[in-house]
Amino acid sequence: DIQMTQSPSSLSASVGDRVTITCQASQGISKYLNWYQQIPGKPPKLLISDVSNLKTGVPSRFSGSGSGTYFTFTISSLQPEDIATYYCQQYDNIPHSFGQGTKLEIK
Amino acid sequence: EVQLVQSGAEVKKPGESLKISCKGSGYSFTSYWIGWVRQIPGKGLDWMGIIYPGDSDTRYSPSFQGQVTISADNSINTAYLQWSTLEASDSAMFYCARSTGSSGSYYDYWGQGTLVTVSS
């Protein structure tokens, strides 16, 4: 199985801050990397597919980059509604493993 | 509008069997994969497996292979996740999600989740 390691596991930031989450794969996964947002009590929501492809309707303050084994997810200016847990997921190999999640809180 | 609607919460006893469902609408059910994801309360997301209803191609995570069965009934656009013998450790929220690609890719639409509680 490919292991996905997210960092940090939790993060406290202020409104307007730039926030970056990293995701490292245990082996190369090319561009096969997604990012999801999960608000408590809700199912995950797809934000970004294929490393950097922002899904329709997702605010442009969200972005993704990277390749191979190292990937980043960035919120350019944190908003109160961004409070959630964020997950990366690889789909290069079955099982389509998730990172352990990054819980984002407002400072 | 694409929708995945899951069956309601279940409370079961250890040793019982269970089958939960995920009904797709608003798209061609046989042309997309349906995946299942477990979330233990307060924990992260665990990918369980995926099925392509078009030809019933099914792939499992090694962690769940032999523990659950994924199936689909194309006549009613519904995918299933079932257990033959539940254990307390099976208690969790289970999500279905739609995916595309040759063996799944991004998961763009999700069901609302089915909470399974296994307790004596």
Side-chain angles (χ1 to χ4, degrees), chain A residues 51-87:
Chain A
V51 176
S52 59
N53 185 2
L54 196 68
K55 307 315 291 182
T56 302
V58 176
S60 59
R61 64 180 180 273
F62 296 99
S63 64
S65 64
S67 65
T69 64
Y70 189 80
F71 303 89
T72 61
F73 172 82
T74 299
I75 307 174
S76 60
S77 177
L78 185 66
Q79 299 302 304
E81 60 266 32
D82 299 336
I83 298 313
T85 300
Y86 293 84
Y87 295 91

Side-chain angles (χ1 to χ4, degrees), chain A:
Chain A
D1 295 7
I2 296 175
Q3 308 303 316
M4 305 299 291
T5 303
Q6 276 183 247
S7 184
S9 56
S10 65
L11 176 57
S12 181
S14 300
V15 173
D17 281 355
R18 182 180 183 87
V19 169
T20 298
I21 298 168
T22 65
C23 181
Q24 186 144 14
S26 59
Q27 65 188 69
I29 58 170
S30 185
K31 65 171 185 174
Y32 305 128
L33 191 283
N34 306 318
W35 291 97
Y36 300 86
Q37 175 193 63
Q38 188 178 31
I39 294 168
K42 298 290 187 182
K45 175 186 176 182
L46 177 68
L47 298 181
I48 291 171
S49 65
D50 302 323
V51 176
S52 59
N53 185 2
L54 196 68
K55 307 315 291 182
T56 302
V58 176
S60 59
R61 64 180 180 273
F62 296 99
S63 64
S65 64
S67 65
T69 64
Y70 189 80
F71 303 89
T72 61
F73 172 82
T74 299
I75 307 174
S76 60
S77 177
L78 185 66
Q79 299 302 304
E81 60 266 32
D82 299 336
I83 298 313
T85 300
Y86 293 84
Y87 295 91
C88 62
Q89 180 201 30
Q90 67 79 25
Y91 66 92
D92 185 56
N93 277 356
I94 297 285
H96 293 167
S97 44
F98 292 91
Q100 80 276 20
T102 296
K103 187 175 183 180
L104 183 52
E105 298 173 331
I106 292 286
K107 194 180 293 183

Side-chain angles (χ1 to χ4, degrees), chain A residues 1 34 36 38 41-46 49-50 55 87 89 91 94-100, chain B residues 37 39 43-47 50 59-63 95 103-108 110-112:
Chain A
D1 295 7
N34 306 318
Y36 300 86
Q38 188 178 31
K42 298 290 187 182
K45 175 186 176 182
L46 177 68
S49 65
D50 302 323
K55 307 315 291 182
Y87 295 91
Q89 180 201 30
Y91 66 92
I94 297 285
H96 293 167
S97 44
F98 292 91
Q100 80 276 20
Chain B
V37 175
Q39 187 168 39
K43 303 297 184 182
L45 304 172
D46 300 314
W47 189 90
I50 195 169
R59 320 280 178 90
Y60 293 93
S61 166
S63 298
Y95 294 104
S103 58
S105 59
Y106 54 83
Y107 293 75
D108 56 357
W110 292 67
Q112 82 277 19

Side-chain angles (χ1 to χ4, degrees), chain B residues 9 25 27 30 57 65 89 98:
Chain B
S25 62
Y27 73 100
T30 55
D57 185 5
Q65 178 86 48
S89 58
R98 189 185 81 158

Side-chain angles (χ1 to χ4, degrees), chain B residues 9-26:
Chain B
E10 301 274 1
V11 179
K12 292 288 193 178
K13 289 181 167 44
E16 292 185 331
S17 63
L18 176 64
K19 192 173 189 177
I20 63 175
S21 66
C22 169
K23 183 174 177 63
S25 62

